[in-house]
């Protein structure tokens, strides 16, 4: 048997082979990802162009309109057909509607081929205006208004069609029985004709309740042609006075008192942005609800068809430069007497700061400063070149002033020159989002200047820069 050979297995040490290139590449990827994350989490400076504008201290209300309205009843029973245009003025003796006692009028006109009426451009324009007005004010949460619109549109269409009926009605003279059953009804007074009844016709300010101002509980009876009416039923209503009012509910007695003291308040109607001055009066009912009325002597016909109106009360209005409140910042400045501030050779402002040279001799140096505001005897200067405790020397004198006193200014950061430069502002009026400031002030803003939209972004960067500087020192 052959002799078995001994085999010896030698173990070699394990070396970890690291690819330096791959390690560097991985490090760079991690670095880039961190930089990107920091970039997107950091607030960046965004510019805002200063423009002229105005702000108003206003309140928006839903108001109910009260007018001098009179319901005109029918003195005959039968089928009614309207001929006067709703929302337009009629004079005494103008034809408003007819009453067909027999009900044969419509059948007769249909037999004569008059059931299809041709609408004029003015008629189509009226329909188009009604549709656009409804579309602009439609709210999905108030779907019941769709039915009111449908009834109103039906009434308008039938009223316009009745105009052609009137042109053919003379042909009934040959049919004695039919002609005798038609009663012509004329306007008893001069005024604006309306074809709806809602129970608000005789209301005054002293009759108001919270329910009457709730548009969700409002019901209106739209009057349309070819409707059977009984004797004494309301055929239409007529507005006989140009003076009218809107009423709002306001239980804040301080606001009510403020409005009352003004006597007249400017009201903006949101439906068409018209503005008018209304005389103020108010009433508190037994339930403790206070209602404020604004009475006008014009524009009644514009809103004659509207019972509820959205209005805006404009109690204050200021004009100037309009800036967002987020751009406003506060910053502290050194206050230095004017006699210590001088002009340099380049017409730049500065101070003579007291210092000592290497030999210990007292001397002075010109330190350029920027002015940010002034009073009768002082300048507000920045704290970039000066520090608290520095002494400045009065020109041609041995008098010295120690820098220490500070005061705060309200302003914004101007970036016209590519860097954030503080500019003082004088606020005329302010609401939750914007402020109106004076324009063209000595140390302030002008129209078309660019400012930082978010002042906090500049303050954060300045704080970081100051921290770095203090660390180096």
């Amino acid at each position: 048997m052959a002799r078995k050979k001994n085999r010896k297995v030698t173990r070699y040490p394990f070396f970890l082979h690291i690819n330096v290139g791959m390690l560097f590449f991985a490090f760079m990827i991690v670095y880039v990802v961190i930089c990107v994350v920091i970039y997107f989490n950091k607030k960046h400076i965004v510019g805002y162009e200063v423009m002229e504008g105005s702000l108003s201290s206003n309140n928006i209300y839903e108001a109910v309109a009260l007018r001098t309205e009179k319901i005109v009843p029918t003195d005959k029973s039968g089928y009614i057909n309207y001929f006067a245009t709703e929302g337009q003025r009629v004079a005494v003796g103008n034809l408003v509607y007819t009453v067909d006692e027999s009900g044969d009028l419509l059948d007769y006109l249909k037999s004569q081929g008059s059931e299809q009426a041709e609408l004029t451009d003015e008629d189509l324009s009226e329909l188009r205006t009604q549709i656009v007005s409804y579309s602009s004010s439609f709210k999905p949460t108030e779907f019941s208004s769709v039915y009111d619109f449908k009834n109103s549109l039906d009434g308008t269409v039938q009223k316009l069609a009745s105009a052609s009926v009137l042109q053919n009605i003379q042909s009934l003279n040959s049919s004695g029985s039919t002609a005798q059953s038609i009663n012509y009804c004329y306007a008893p007074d001069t005024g604006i004709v309306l074809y709806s009844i809602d129970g608000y016709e005789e209301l005054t300010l002293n009759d108001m309740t919270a329910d009457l101002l709730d548009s969700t509980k409002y019901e209106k009876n739209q009057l349309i042609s070819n409707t059977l009416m009984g004797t004494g039923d309301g055929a239409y209503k007529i507005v006989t006075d140009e003076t009218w009012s809107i009423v709002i509910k306001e239980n804040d007695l301080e606001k009510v008192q403020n409005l009352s003291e003004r006597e007249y308040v400017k009201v903006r109607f949101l439906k068409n942005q018209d503005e008018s001055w209304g005389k103020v009066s108010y009433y508190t009912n037994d339930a403790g609800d206070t209602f404020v009325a604004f009475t006008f002597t014009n524009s009644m016909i514009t809103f004659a068809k509207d019972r509820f109106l959205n209005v805006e009360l404009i109690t204050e209005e200021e004009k100037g430069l309009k800036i967002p409140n987020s751009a406003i910042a506060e910053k502290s400045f050194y206050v230095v007497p004017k006699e210590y501030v001088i002009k340099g050779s380049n017409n730049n402002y500065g101070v003579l700061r007291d210092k000592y040279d290497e030999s210990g001799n007292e001397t002075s140096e010109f330190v350029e400063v920027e002015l940010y505001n002034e009073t009768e005897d002082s300048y507000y200067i920045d704290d970039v070149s000066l520090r608290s405790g520095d002494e400045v020397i009065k020109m041609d004198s041995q008098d010295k002033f120690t820098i220490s006193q500070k005061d705060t200014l309200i302003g914004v950061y101007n970036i016209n020159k590519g860097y954030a430069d503080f500019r003082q502002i004088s606020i005329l009026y302010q609401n939750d989002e914007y402020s109106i400031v004076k324009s063209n002030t000595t140390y302030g803003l002008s129209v078309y200047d660019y400012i930082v939209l978010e002042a906090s972004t500049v303050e954060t960067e300045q704080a970081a820069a100051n921290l770095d500087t203090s660390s180096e020192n």
Side-chain angles (χ1 to χ4, degrees):
M1 185 175 179
R3 190 173 183 178
K4 187 181 290 186
K5 295 183 178 180
N6 293 328
R7 293 184 178 180
K8 185 176 182 181
V9 178
T10 304
R11 293 179 177 272
Y12 292 93
F14 175 75
F15 294 97
L16 179 62
H17 296 282
I18 300 177
N19 190 320
V20 178
M22 291 297 293
L23 184 62
F24 178 77
F25 182 72
F27 173 78
M28 289 300 298
I29 290 178
V30 173
Y31 176 77
V32 170
V33 170
I34 293 174
C35 290
V36 170
V37 172
I38 293 175
Y39 176 82
F40 283 106
N41 287 333
K42 181 181 179 182
K43 287 186 176 181
H44 301 281
I45 292 179
V46 178
Y48 176 87
E49 185 178 13
V50 177
M51 301 295 290
E52 291 181 339
S54 64
L55 287 180
S56 57
S57 173
N58 46 47
N59 297 283
I60 295 177
Y61 296 88
E62 184 175 51
V64 62
L66 302 181
R67 295 172 283 263
T68 305
E69 302 170 342
K70 181 172 69 174
I71 298 176
V72 180
T74 62
D75 55 2
K76 300 286 185 180
S77 61
Y79 291 89
I80 195 167
N81 285 281
Y82 296 107
F83 298 100
T85 302
E86 185 178 26
Q88 298 298 317
R89 188 178 301 276
V90 295
V92 176
N94 286 165
L95 178 64
V96 178
Y97 68 97
T98 62
V99 176
D100 177 18
E101 295 183 65
S102 66
D104 297 332
L105 174 61
L106 183 61
D107 293 336
Y108 175 81
L109 292 176
K110 285 184 177 181
S111 68
Q112 300 299 313
S114 302
E115 71 278 8
Q116 293 183 351
E118 293 186 4
L119 301 182
T120 65
D121 291 340
E122 292 183 358
D123 297 338
L124 292 173
S125 177
E126 181 179 349
L127 287 172
R128 189 180 299 110
T129 301
Q130 193 172 356
I131 294 171
V132 171
S133 176
Y134 169 76
S135 177
S136 62
S137 61
F138 173 72
K139 295 180 181 179
T141 56
E142 300 177 2
F143 191 76
S144 59
S145 61
V146 174
Y147 300 102
D148 292 336
F149 171 67
K150 175 182 178 296
N151 292 332
S152 178
L153 200 61
D154 285 343
T156 302
V157 171
Q158 293 194 26
K159 172 178 60 64
L160 294 175
S162 294
S164 65
V165 173
L166 186 61
Q167 295 175 2
N168 293 280
I169 206 169
Q170 298 300 326
S171 64
L172 297 179
N173 291 332
S174 59
S175 177
S177 61
T178 305
Q180 291 174 2
S181 68
I182 298 175
N183 296 280
Y184 297 86
C185 301
Y186 303 94
D189 298 293
T190 298
I192 309 301
V193 172
L194 298 174
Y195 296 125
S196 63
I197 297 175
D198 56 12
Y200 284 66
E201 287 77 18
E202 297 182 358
L203 289 181
T204 65
L205 174 62
N206 293 350
D207 299 320
M208 296 306 299
T209 64
D211 286 343
L212 291 174
L213 266 169
D214 188 350
S215 59
T216 62
K217 299 179 180 179
Y218 176 69
E219 294 182 356
K220 179 176 67 173
N221 179 25
Q222 187 70 40
L223 305 173
I224 59 177
S225 291
N226 299 319
T227 302
L228 180 62
M229 287 193 175
T231 303
D233 289 346
Y236 67 98
K237 64 185 177 187
I238 186 168
V239 185
T240 58
D241 196 338
E242 185 67 23
T243 301
W244 67 297
S245 303
I246 60 169
V247 179
I248 65 171
K249 178 185 174 184
E250 179 54 81
N251 285 337
D252 187 333
L253 297 183
E254 185 177 347
K255 284 186 177 181
V256 173
Q257 187 63 33
N258 179 266
L259 292 171
S260 179
E261 290 174 355
R262 293 174 180 274
E263 191 174 358
Y264 286 89
V265 170
K266 183 189 289 187
V267 178
R268 177 180 294 136
F269 298 92
L270 301 187
K271 178 181 178 179
N272 56 6
Q273 299 302 309
D274 283 355
E275 295 178 357
S276 187
W277 288 88
K279 186 175 182 179
V280 180
S281 57
Y282 67 93
Y283 168 76
T284 302
N285 64 13
D286 295 337
D289 293 322
T290 300
F291 302 92
V292 184
F294 304 89
T295 303
F296 311 94
T297 57
N298 55 30
S299 67
M300 183 275 294
I301 191 172
T302 304
F303 307 102
K305 296 181 183 179
D306 300 302
R307 182 61 73 187
F308 286 87
L309 290 163
N310 290 322
V311 298
E312 184 179 18
L313 306 185
I314 305 174
T315 55
E316 294 181 20
E317 190 169 29
E318 293 286 356
K319 295 182 179 179
L321 301 180
K322 188 175 182 179
I323 62 172
N325 290 340
S326 60
I328 299 176
E330 292 185 359
K331 189 173 181 181
S332 297
F333 295 89
Y334 288 120
V335 181
V336 178
K338 286 186 174 180
E339 57 265 29
Y340 288 89
V341 179
I342 60 176
K343 275 191 175 182
S345 56
N346 296 326
N347 285 327
N348 51 337
Y349 288 93
V351 295
L352 292 176
R353 181 166 58 186
D354 187 34
K355 74 169 192 174
Y356 292 88
D357 59 19
E358 296 178 354
S359 302
N361 299 319
E362 185 177 11
T363 182
S364 63
E365 63 176 341
F366 179 81
V367 178
E368 184 177 346
V369 296
E370 187 170 354
L371 308 182
Y372 289 88
N373 188 32
E374 65 177 286
T375 61
E376 186 176 347
D377 54 5
S378 301
Y379 283 120
Y380 285 66
I381 63 178
D382 59 60
D383 57 0
V384 175
S385 303
L386 297 175
R387 293 290 182 269
S388 182
D390 287 348
E391 290 188 332
V392 294
I393 305 171
K394 183 189 295 186
M395 189 70 172
D396 300 327
S397 173
Q398 296 299 315
D399 294 342
K400 296 181 181 180
F401 176 82
T402 302
I403 302 294
S404 61
Q405 182 183 354
K406 275 192 169 186
D407 197 6
T408 301
L409 295 178
I410 298 175
V412 297
Y413 290 100
N414 186 300
I415 53 174
N416 288 349
K417 299 178 181 179
Y419 57 88
D421 186 21
F422 189 88
R423 285 288 177 264
Q424 184 197 16
I425 60 173
S426 177
I427 299 176
L428 298 174
Y429 182 74
Q430 189 175 50
N431 62 18
D432 293 338
E433 297 181 359
Y434 291 94
S435 295
I436 297 297
V437 303
K438 285 185 179 180
S439 61
N440 299 319
T441 54
T442 304
Y443 301 98
L445 294 174
S446 299
V447 66
Y448 305 126
D449 279 350
Y450 277 89
I451 61 175
V452 177
L453 180 61
E454 293 283 348
S456 59
T457 58
V458 177
E459 295 167 349
T460 301
E461 289 189 359
Q462 289 181 345
N466 293 336
L467 182 61
D468 291 343
T469 302
S470 61
S471 298
E472 292 175 359
N473 295 336

